[in-house]
C-alpha cells in the first residue's frame, strides 16, 4: 500500500493505440482538471508507447500539467505486463493521490493489475466523480477531500458512492462518454517528463502473433442525431421504422436496454448506464419508457423528442417535445413529412 499523500497529483492513464489517443483519455483529462483544481494539485497524464511524443501536447491542451512519457519499442503494442510495470513504477515513484483509467477493454485489463500490485482500492465502471468530505462510519473520523466514486450497482437499480479512506492511491475506471470532452486549449503549457522503466523479460511473457480488428460499425458518441427505440417498438421487424427515420434524418440508431435484451437490436446500439452515454443535438426516443438507467445515458442531449403511447411515461419529464401516440402510426407520418420537405427543398433553384 502506498502511503497516503494528500498533496499527490491527479493522474490519468493516457490510453492510445497505434499512436491515436482514445477519446476517453481526453475526457478524463477534463474531469481530472476539475478534481485537481478542487484539491489544489497538478494533473498528470501517464503516456506509455513508442513514438508517441506528439500526443503529449494534446494531453496538455486538454488539461494535463505534466505528461509522464515512457517510450520503448516494447510498448508499441499493449501488453498487460509491460504497461502495468510502467504504471506501478511511476506510482511508487511519484505517489499520486488519484489515478483514473477509461473503462475500455484495455483499461479494465490494466487497472486491476496495477491496483493489486500497489495494494490500492479500485472502483470499476464509474459514471461520475467528485471530491467531498466523508465521515467513516466505524471510527466516526472525518476524511476531507476524498474522491467520491459514483457507479450503478445491482444491475443499475441503485447508484452507489464509493470512497477509499486509506488505501491509496484512489483508483477508478470511468465509462466512455460519461464525462464531456472539453474543448482543447492550445495556449496551455505543461511539462513533458521522460521516464525510463525497466521492462526486461516482461515482453516475453505474452507475445502478440497477429492482430485482427473489426471496425466499429456504430458511432453513437459522434452522432448529432439519434433515433432510439425501446421495448415499446414491439419487435425486431418494427425496428425498421427506427432505422428508416434515422436514415431520413441522417442520424444513428440507438436503443434502450430493454430493446437489446428483447433481441430487437444488437448491444452495440445500447444507450444508458450499461451502454453508451450520448449528447447529440437531437435525440428521438420512440417506445422508451424513460427509466433512470436509460435517462442517465441521454438526458444531456440538446433536444429530446419522446414518442410514447403512455402519457405518464417518465421520458416525458425530460423531453423538450412529447408526442403521445402509437409509434407505428407517428413515425411513418414523420417520415412522410420529412421526405416531402426534402423534395421541396431539392426543387428550389440554387442561386
Amino acid at each position: 500500500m502506498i502511503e497516503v499523500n494528500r498533496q499527490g497529483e491527479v493522474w490519468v492513464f493516457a490510453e492510445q493505440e497505434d499512436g491515436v489517443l482514445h477519446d476517453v483519455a481526453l475526457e478524463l483529462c477534463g474531469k481530472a482538471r476539475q478534481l485537481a483544481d478542487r484539491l489544489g494539485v497538478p494533473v498528470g497524464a501517464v503516456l506509455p508507447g513508442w513514438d508517441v511524443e506528439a500526443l503529449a501536447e494534446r494531453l496538455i491542451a486538454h488539461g494535463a500539467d505534466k505528461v509522464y512519457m515512457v517510450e520503448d519499442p516494447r510498448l508499441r503494442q499493449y501488453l498487460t505486463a509491460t504497461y502495468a510495470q510502467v504504471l506501478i513504477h511511476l506510482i511508487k515513484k511519484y505517489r499520486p493521490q488519484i489515478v483514473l483509467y477509461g473503462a475500455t477493454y484495455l483499461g479494465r485489463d490494466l487497472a486491476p493489475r496495477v491496483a493489486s500490485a500497489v495494494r490500492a482500492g479500485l472502483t470499476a465502471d464509474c459514471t461520475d466523480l467528485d471530491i467531498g468530505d466523508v465521515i467513516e462510519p466505524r471510527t466516526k473520523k472525518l476524511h476531507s477531500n476524498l474522491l467520491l466514486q459514483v457507479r450503478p450497482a445491482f444491475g443499475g437499480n441503485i447508484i452507489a458512492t464509493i470512497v477509499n479512506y486509506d488505501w491509496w492511491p484512489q483508483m477508478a475506471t470511468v465509462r466512455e462518454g460519461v464525462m464531456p470532452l472539453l474543448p482543447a486549449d492550445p495556449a496551455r503549457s505543461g511539462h513533458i517528463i521522460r521516464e525510463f522503466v525497466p521492462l526486461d523479460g516482461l515482453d516475453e511473457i505474452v507475445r502478440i502473433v497477429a492482430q485482427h480488428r473489426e471496425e466499429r460499425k456504430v458511432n453513437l458518441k459522434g452522432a448529432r442525431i439519434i433515433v432510439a427505440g425501446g421495448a415499446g417498438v414491439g419487435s425486431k421487424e418494427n425496428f425498421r421504422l427506427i432505422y428508416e427515420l434515422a436514415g431520413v434524418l441522417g442520424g444513428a440508431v440507438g436503443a434502450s436496454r430493454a430493446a437489446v435484451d428483447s433481441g430487437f437490436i444488437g448491444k452495440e446500439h445500447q444507450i444508458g448506464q450499461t451502454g453508451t452515454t450520448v449528447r447529440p443535438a437531437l435525440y428521438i426516443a420512440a417506445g422508451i419508457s424513460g427509466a433512470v438507467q436509460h435517462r442517465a445515458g441521454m438526458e444531456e442531449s440538446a433536444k429530446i423528442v419522446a414518442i410514447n403511447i403512455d402519457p405518464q411515461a417518465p421520458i416525458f419529464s425530460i423531453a423538450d417535445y412529447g408526442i403521445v401516440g402509437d409509434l407505428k402510426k407517428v413515425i411513418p407520418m414523420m417520415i412522410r413529412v420529412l421526405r416531402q420537405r426534402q423534395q421541396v427543398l431539392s426543387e428550389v433553384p440554387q442561386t
Side-chain angles (χ1 to χ4, degrees), residues 71-256:
E71 287 194 303
D72 191 301
R74 291 167 290 187
L75 298 170
R76 188 188 302 273
Q77 295 173 311
Y78 173 77
L79 291 173
T80 307
T82 52
Y83 272 61
Q85 179 62 18
V86 169
L87 270 294
I88 294 164
H89 179 90
L90 295 180
I91 287 171
K92 290 180 176 180
K93 180 176 180 179
Y94 289 102
R95 296 167 55 217
Q97 62 175 301
I98 295 172
V99 182
L100 305 177
Y101 311 77
T104 61
Y105 76 90
L106 193 153
R108 286 170 173 160
D109 177 70
L110 177 64
R113 179 70 66 93
V114 177
S116 176
V118 300
R119 302 191 66 191
L122 172 67
T123 303
D125 282 348
C126 291
T127 56
D128 197 8
L129 301 169
D130 202 355
I131 300 296
D133 299 339
V134 179
I135 297 177
E136 188 175 354
R138 182 174 56 85
T139 64
K140 306 303 180 184
K141 179 181 178 181
L142 175 64
H143 295 268
S144 300
N145 291 331
L146 288 183
L147 178 67
L148 307 183
Q149 301 155 81
V150 180
R151 58 151 296 158
F154 293 101
N157 291 310
I158 66 169
I159 301 297
T161 299
I162 300 171
V163 296
N164 295 329
Y165 300 114
D166 48 14
W167 291 82
W168 282 28
Q170 303 163 97
M171 289 194 188
T173 64
V174 181
R175 291 185 184 175
E176 303 174 63
V178 298
M179 306 299 176
L181 178 58
L182 301 180
D185 180 3
R188 288 196 82 254
S189 60
H191 302 286
I192 300 174
I193 303 170
R194 299 177 183 274
E195 290 284 338
F196 170 77
V197 177
L199 301 173
D200 293 342
L202 293 174
D203 59 327
E204 298 298 324
I205 298 173
V206 175
R207 179 172 295 174
I208 297 176
V209 178
Q211 284 187 321
H212 300 277
R213 296 181 183 175
E214 184 176 339
E215 293 294 326
R216 183 180 293 185
K217 298 177 181 178
V218 182
N219 183 18
L220 291 172
K221 285 175 57 179
R224 285 187 50 78
I225 298 173
I226 295 176
V227 183
V233 175
S235 68
K236 188 173 184 178
E237 291 69 30
N238 287 343
F239 241 88
R240 65 178 177 78
L241 291 172
I242 306 298
Y243 277 96
E244 193 172 353
L245 179 56
V248 172
L249 291 169
V253 173
S256 68

Side-chain angles (χ1 to χ4, degrees), residues 268-330:
E268 65 273 15
H269 294 270
Q270 185 173 320
I271 294 169
Q273 277 186 349
T274 51
T276 304
T277 299
V278 297
R279 297 177 178 83
L282 173 62
Y283 188 92
I284 299 178
I288 294 175
S289 65
V292 64
Q293 293 90 344
H294 184 76
R295 297 205 307 267
M298 47 67 70
E299 62 187 353
E300 292 189 28
S301 303
K303 283 287 183 291
I304 299 172
V305 177
I307 306 169
N308 203 292
I309 202 167
D310 178 9
Q312 303 303 318
I315 192 69
F316 288 124
S317 67
I318 62 168
D320 296 285
Y321 303 97
I323 302 173
V324 179
D326 185 346
L327 65 88
K328 292 188 288 294
K329 296 179 180 179
V330 173

